[in-house]
Amino acid sequence: MDISVIICTRNRCESLNETLKSLLCQEGDLCSFEIVVVDNKSTDRTQEAVEQYIPLFKNRLRYAFEPSPGLSFARNKGVHEAKGAVIAFTDDDCIADENWFKNV
C-alpha cells in the first residue's frame, strides 16, 4: 500500500459525500491507495454514507468508528487503521483536485 488517506468526520455526512465523490474522480495512473473514513461518534447517517461508496472504490475504502470525541482521537484511530507507507489527511468538506493522488 502506497498511500492511506484518512478522513475524520463527525455529523457531516452531506459534505463527506462530496469529498468521496471527488476522490472517485482521480486521474492518471493511480498508485496503490486506501481511504479510511473515521467516524468520530456521529449521530447522523455517516456510516450509511460511507458504506454506499465501498463498492465504488472496489473495497479500497474502509469505515472506522472512534467513540472518543475529538480530532486527535479520530486521527490516531486513522493512523492505527492505516496500511500505507504514506499517510495523508484531508477534511470531510474538501473537494480533491483530480490530480491529488498523483501529486501526493
Side-chain angles (χ1 to χ4, degrees):
M1 188 70 54
D2 295 328
I3 301 173
S4 292
V5 177
I6 299 170
I7 306 169
C8 300
T9 190
R10 182 170 184 177
N11 293 328
R12 297 187 58 166
C13 68
E14 296 305 320
S15 61
L16 178 63
N17 273 322
E18 297 304 312
T19 301
L20 292 174
K21 280 183 199 173
S22 74
L23 292 172
L24 277 172
C25 298
Q26 295 298 297
E27 298 229 343
D29 295 328
L30 293 179
C31 56
S32 172
F33 74 93
E34 68 174 350
I35 299 168
V36 180
V37 175
V38 180
D39 179 351
N40 196 204
K41 203 173 182 179
S42 295
T43 57
D44 65 359
R45 296 180 36 244
T46 295
Q47 183 173 2
E48 292 173 38
V50 174
E51 288 175 350
Q52 75 179 0
Y53 281 93
I54 290 174
L56 300 174
F57 279 97
K58 298 180 172 66
N59 295 317
R60 294 185 289 185
L61 172 65
R62 292 188 291 126
Y63 171 87
F65 184 79
E66 173 51 54
S68 299
L71 183 57
S72 61
F73 290 110
R75 284 189 172 170
N76 285 331
K77 175 71 169 191
V79 169
H80 178 75
E81 295 285 327
K83 297 177 182 167
V86 173
I87 295 176
F89 292 96
T90 192
D91 291 333
D92 60 3
D93 62 349
C94 286
I95 304 300
D97 179 87
E98 61 197 17
N99 294 306
W100 192 64
F101 281 141
K102 207 169 15 173
N103 290 327
V104 169

